[in-house]
Amino acid sequence: MASNGYRNGTGTNKGAIKPPASSNIRSSSFKSRLPPSSNHSTGSALRRTSSASFTTAAGGDGVPGRVRVAVRLRPRNAEESTADADFADCVELQPELKRLKLRKNNWESETYEFDEVLTEFASQKRVYEVVAKPVVESVLDGYNGTVMAYGQTGTGKTFTLGRLGEEDTSARGIMVRSMEEILANVSPETDSIFVSYLQLYMETIQDLLDPANDNISIVEDPRTGDVSLPGATHVEIKDEPSFLELLRLGEAHRIAANTKLNTESSRSHAILMVHVKRSVLGEEVAIPSESDKSSHFVKPPKPLVRKSKLVLVDLAGSERVQKSGSEGHMLEEAKSINLSLSALGKCINALAENSAHVPIRDSKLTRLLRDSFGGTARTSLIVTIGPSPRHRGETASTILFGQRAMKVENMLRIKEEFDYKSLARRLEIQLDKLIAENERQQKAFDDEVERINLEAQNRVSEVERNFTDALEKERLKCQMEYMESVKKLEEKMIENQQKHQHDGFMKDKCNWEGPGFSEDIAEVKKLLEKETHMRKEAEKEVNKLKSQLGQHMDAGAGGDAEILKLQIALEDEVHQKKKLEEEIIILRSQMLQLTFEADQMRRCLARGGSGNAYPGLDSPMSQVRDSLSGHKTPVSALFDQVGVQKILDLLESEDANVRIHAVKVVANLAAEEANQERIVEAGGLTSLLMLLRSYEDETVRRVAAGAIANLAMNEANQELIMVQGGISLLSTTASDAEDPQTLRMVAGAIANLCGNDKLQATLRSEGGIKALLGMVRCRHPDVLSQVARGIANFAKCESRASTNGIRSGRSLLIDEGALPWIVQNANNDAAPIRRHIELALCHLAQHEANAKDMINGGALWELVRITRDCSREDIRSLARRTLNSSLLFRSEMRRLRIEL
Ligand code: ADP
Ligand code: MG
C-alpha cells in the first residue's frame, strides 16, 4: 500500500537539498551544509497544529526534512592490520569536503558525498553530536526521531549505538548519550520518559525486557498512522543508572535469546524506543469580547502535552542482504533477515525515486519504521564501513544504501494534546496558592490593625498619665495655698476675737457689729475671692498645659523624622566635604609631583645624566647637594601646602591609583634628607613597611622599597627599620620580586643597613645577608652594584669592629657563603661593582681569621691583581699594605713565588 506519509508531496527531491525542518535544530553540522532555515519555526508549526483538534499530528502542513546520512569508518583491526598490511584501504575519506572515495582499483575511484564523513579517528562524542544530537533535540521539541545504524557485521554499528562506556565515559555510545541529553532537559515533576527495548528476529518481535514476551504485534492507528507496540514492556526512566541497568538487562536477554535460537545478535535488529512526554504551555490566545468586537481579552496559555518518540535501531548486518544461507534454519533465517533489510532497501529506493508504491507493509521492520523513512520523524542514518579491501563489495553496497537514503525526505509534525487533567491540576494549585496568599494578607492586615490600636492606646494612656500628674501637682499646689489662706484667716480671726475681748473690758458695751468686724469680714471675703480667682487661673493654666501637651505629642513624630532627615543631609555634606578635600590633596600633590618630575628631568638633562625618576641610591649626595643649595624642591613644598600626615594617609587609600601616586610622592620626599625626619616622625616609615608587607602591586612595592632605601641612609632610621621588622620584609621582597628595579631598591636599602656597625649581628640573624646574596640571581648590573656595595659596607664595619677589638673570628660574610661570588665578580666589567668588591676584599683581608678561607677561595689572586691592575692608586696601596701585613698571605705568596 502506498503511504501518503512516505511520499512527502515533493516531486523534485532527487538530490535536492531542502531547508532544515526548523530553526530550533541547534548544533548540527548537517545543518551547516544547508541553506538558511525556512520560516517554519517550531512555534508557528505549534500554533497551526494546536488549533486543529485533540491530537494534532494529522494535517498536511508539517515541516520537510531530509534523512541525514553520515558514514563512519572503523579503524583497521588486528586481523586486518596483518592480513591487509600490503594493501591500501578500500576507501579514502575527505572529511573536510564530506566526501568518500571508494577505490575501484589502483587507478580509479568513485566519489560520494555524505552529510558527514567520520574518519576512523572520530570520537564517540563527535559522532553523537553530528548524528544523533539534532534528532534528540527535535524529540525534546516534540517531534518523533529515529537514529539507525546500517552496515556490514563487524563495522561498528553496536560500537556506535550501544556502548555503555562504564569504564571509560568517553566510549559511551549514542543510546547512553541520547538518554543523558533527554534527562538533562526534561523536568521530573511534569515530564516522563518511558523506554522499551526490542529485538526483531525472523519477523518476530521479542521483548528484551521480558524475554517471555516474544511475539509482540505492531499496532497502527488508522487515523494518525502512528505505530505502537502496546504489548512491549515500558519502563519509566528517572535517571541514568536505571537506564544503564535496563540496557544491560536487555543485552543479557538478547544473548540468552540468541543462544536459545542458535543465532548471533548480528542477525537480529535491536530497537530501543524512548517515549518522551512533556508538559508545555501553549500561547496566550486573544479573543474578541462579545459586546465589543474591537476589544480583546486574553485567555491564559493552554497546558499541552507533547508526546514524542526516539527510536534507535541497531540493524542486522547488511551482508545478509546479498548472501543466503545454504540449508534449513539458516535459509529461513537468511530469508527473514533478508526480508526486513531488503524491504527497508526497497522502501528507500522507492522513496528516493519518488515512486508511486512504497512496499512498507512487506516487512515488520518497515512497518515499525514507517514514520522514520518518509514519515513524520526526523531521521539520521549512520552507515558503518570497514577499511578492508577484501570487503569492497559489502562496503560499496553499504555506501549506495546510504546515498539513496539521503534522497528520502520526511515531513516533520509535532504531536500535541490538550492536557485537561494537567490544566485542572494547575488551576487547583493556582487556586490554592491564591487562597493561601489571601489568608496571609488578611492575617498581616489584622496584625497591623492590632499593632496600630495598641500603639494608639499606649500613647493615649501616656498622655493621660502625664496629664493626671500635672493636674495632681496643680491641685496639691492650690490646696496648699488654700490651706495657707485658711490658716491665715483663722489666725486673723483669733487675733480679732482677742482684740474684741480686750476692748470689752475697756468699754462697757460691746457692739459685735461694729465697723472693725465688718472690715475683717470684707477682708476675708476679698481673700477668698482672690483665692477663687487664683484657683481659676491655675485651672486655666492646667488646661493650657494640657492642650500644649497634646500638640506636642502630635508634632513629636513628624519632628523626629525631620531631624533624622537633616542629620542624614548633614552627614552627607560632611562626607562630601571630606571627599572633596581628599581630591584637592590628590590633585595638588599630582601637580607637584609632575612639576617635580619635570624639574628632575631638567636637572638631569643639564647634568647630562639619565632621567632617573627615583634619585638617591647611586648618588645619595646629589640629593643632599640639591637641598643644601637652598633650592626648595616642589615636592618639599607639599609639606607646607598639604601636610605630611595627609599624604601618608593617602597611602592607605582604597583607590589603587591614589595609593601608587601617594607612595611616589612619599618616595620623592624621602629622597630629600631635610624631609626624612618629618616623614619618620609622622609614621611614614611604618606605613612604607606596611606597603611592602601588604601590597602585591609591583609599582607600589618598588617605589616603597625605594623610599625605604632613601630613609635607610640615616643611621637613626636604620635602627628603626630593624626594630619594625623591616629586614625580614625586605628579605621577603628580595626573594619574591622579579623586577630588577624593585630588586635594586631592596638591595640598596639592605646595603645601607649593612653600613651600620650596630646592626651587623641582627642583619645576619634575620637573613639580611642571605637576601642580599640571593639577589645576584638577577644579573642586572644595577642590582649587582647594590649587592657589592652592601658587601663592602658590611666588610668595612666588620673590619672596624675587629680593629677595635669588639669582634673576633671569621667574617660573617664568609660564613654566609659570600666569598665565591666576591671572587667571581672581583674583576667585573662594570666599574661600580668592581670597585665595591675590591674594597670588600681589602677589608676582609685585614683579618687573619679570614686569610685561610680567602686563600682557599682564590681571593689572594684577586688581591694580588688589585695591587697591580686597580686604576685607583689608594686601593692599590691598600691592597698591598693589607697583604704585606698578613703572615698567612705573606707565607702563601712566598710559597707561590709571588712578589708585590
Ligand atoms: P557491528 O555491530 O557492526 O557488528 P561492532 O560494533 O560489534 O560491529 O564492532 C566490531 C568490532 O570493532 C568491535 O570489537 C568494536 O569494538 C570494534 N570497533 C568498531 N568500531 C570501532 C571504532 N570506531 N573504533 C574502534 N573500534 C571499533
Ligand atoms: Mg552489532
Side-chain angles (χ1 to χ4, degrees), residues 580-770:
L580 279 174
E581 272 175 6
E582 223 177 79
E583 270 168 29
I584 289 171
I585 295 170
I586 294 164
L587 283 172
R588 229 185 238 172
S589 55
Q590 268 173 351
M591 195 187 81
L592 289 163
Q593 165 84 9
L594 285 174
T595 328
F596 172 79
E597 276 167 15
D599 214 51
Q600 191 71 22
M601 193 61 81
R602 255 199 311 277
R603 265 183 287 160
C604 279
L605 286 174
R607 280 202 299 265
S610 69
N612 180 11
Y614 302 105
L617 284 179
D618 284 332
S619 55
M621 288 314 287
S622 67
Q623 284 304 312
V624 181
R625 203 169 45 239
D626 283 345
S627 50
L628 287 181
S629 68
H631 171 80
K632 193 160 195 171
T633 62
V635 175
S636 278
L638 266 177
F639 276 121
D640 310 327
Q641 293 191 23
V642 183
V644 71
Q645 193 57 58
K646 286 201 172 157
I647 300 170
L648 291 177
D649 287 348
L650 294 180
L651 289 179
E652 282 156 38
S653 164
E654 277 170 19
D655 183 335
N657 281 334
V658 173
R659 272 199 317 266
I660 291 179
H661 178 73
V663 73
K664 281 186 181 175
V665 173
V666 175
N668 280 326
L669 285 169
E672 291 179 39
E673 212 175 42
N675 300 330
Q676 289 179 354
E677 202 181 320
R678 280 160 78 187
I679 293 176
V680 174
E681 263 173 20
L685 183 55
T686 319
S687 305
L688 288 167
L689 287 170
M690 286 287 289
L691 283 183
L692 220 49
R693 192 188 341 240
S694 53
Y695 285 110
E696 271 158 26
D697 182 289
E698 198 55 51
T699 312
V700 171
R701 249 192 349 187
R702 182 178 64 238
V703 182
I708 293 168
N710 276 331
L711 293 177
M713 289 192 300
N714 172 308
E715 203 179 311
N717 293 343
Q718 288 167 358
E719 282 164 34
L720 218 57
I721 290 173
M722 299 298 276
V723 169
Q724 298 193 3
I727 193 67
S728 68
L729 288 172
L730 287 166
S731 303
T732 313
T733 315
S735 63
D736 282 0
E738 296 295 338
D739 175 27
Q741 288 314 313
T742 308
L743 291 173
R744 178 169 79 103
M745 302 298 172
V746 174
I750 299 181
N752 286 343
L753 298 173
C754 284
N756 188 320
D757 294 293
K758 294 181 218 155
L759 304 180
Q760 301 272 291
T762 329
L763 251 177
R764 189 223 179 176
S765 65
E766 292 186 7
I769 311 283
K770 278 248 149 57

Side-chain angles (χ1 to χ4, degrees), residues 72-75 152-159:
R72 184 183 197 183
L73 176 65
R74 170 177 59 65
Q152 190 188 352
T153 298
T155 49
K157 296 182 295 296
T158 308
F159 183 91

Side-chain angles (χ1 to χ4, degrees), residues 556-574:
D560 280 356
E562 199 57 35
I563 288 171
L564 211 70
K565 247 197 221 159
L566 280 172
Q567 253 173 2
I568 291 170
L570 198 69
E571 269 168 26
D572 250 24
E573 289 286 324
V574 171

